Amino acid sequence: GSYDLYLQRTNNPANVTPIAYDEVQSGSISPSIDLNAYTFTESVGVQVLVQMDVTSGSLDPQIRVYRPDGSLLCSAQSLGSFVEVVCLLDTTGSHTILVGAWSANATGNYTLLMNQQ
């Protein structure tokens, strides 16, 4: 068989887009191994809500939030067109959000929104 391989740092990722509270970001996933990276800086104890809404295509959305050291803090995925995750930050610093397709061979466009809870 064959496979695709995608490599992305989870701390200090390449091609990152800063995101702020209540700021809607638009993006696209193509091919399915593509992950888009967003970063935000925040303090320990803050709870954030991250929402991803598919606006076109066959994309099943997936969100992963990483701590400043690159370890996974929280994640969520859906076989639908919308997914959200609430994360309680346990570390101060620059956090990374990676968004992509949960199922194979999926592409599409999306919006991403982050709010403080």
Side-chain angles (χ1 to χ4, degrees):
S2 63
Y3 61 90
D4 295 318
L5 179 65
Y6 180 83
L7 182 63
Q8 174 65 281
R9 291 178 55 123
T10 57
N11 61 337
N12 301 316
N15 304 316
V16 67
T17 301
I19 189 169
Y21 294 126
D22 299 321
E23 176 183 51
V24 176
Q25 293 282 339
S26 297
S28 63
I29 302 295
S30 180
S32 63
I33 59 169
D34 186 23
L35 292 173
N36 292 341
Y38 299 87
T39 61
F40 66 97
T41 301
E42 193 52 89
S43 301
V44 66
V46 173
Q47 188 168 287
V48 296
L49 168 68
V50 183
Q51 299 174 320
M52 183 178 179
D53 189 18
V54 176
T55 57
S56 68
S58 60
L59 180 65
D60 292 319
Q62 180 180 49
I63 300 169
R64 290 182 247 160
V65 180
Y66 292 89
R67 295 176 181 92
D69 69 0
S71 61
L72 183 65
L73 175 63
C74 59
S75 65
Q77 58 276 334
S78 172
L79 290 175
S81 62
F82 178 81
V83 67
E84 69 180 13
V85 64
V86 175
C87 302
L88 178 60
L89 305 183
D90 58 4
T91 308
T92 296
S94 181
H95 293 74
T96 300
I97 302 170
L98 295 182
V99 298
W102 185 40
S103 58
N105 300 321
T107 61
N109 298 312
Y110 65 89
T111 59
L112 185 71
L113 177 67
M114 181 182 71
N115 286 306
Q116 184 174 352
Q117 295 289 285

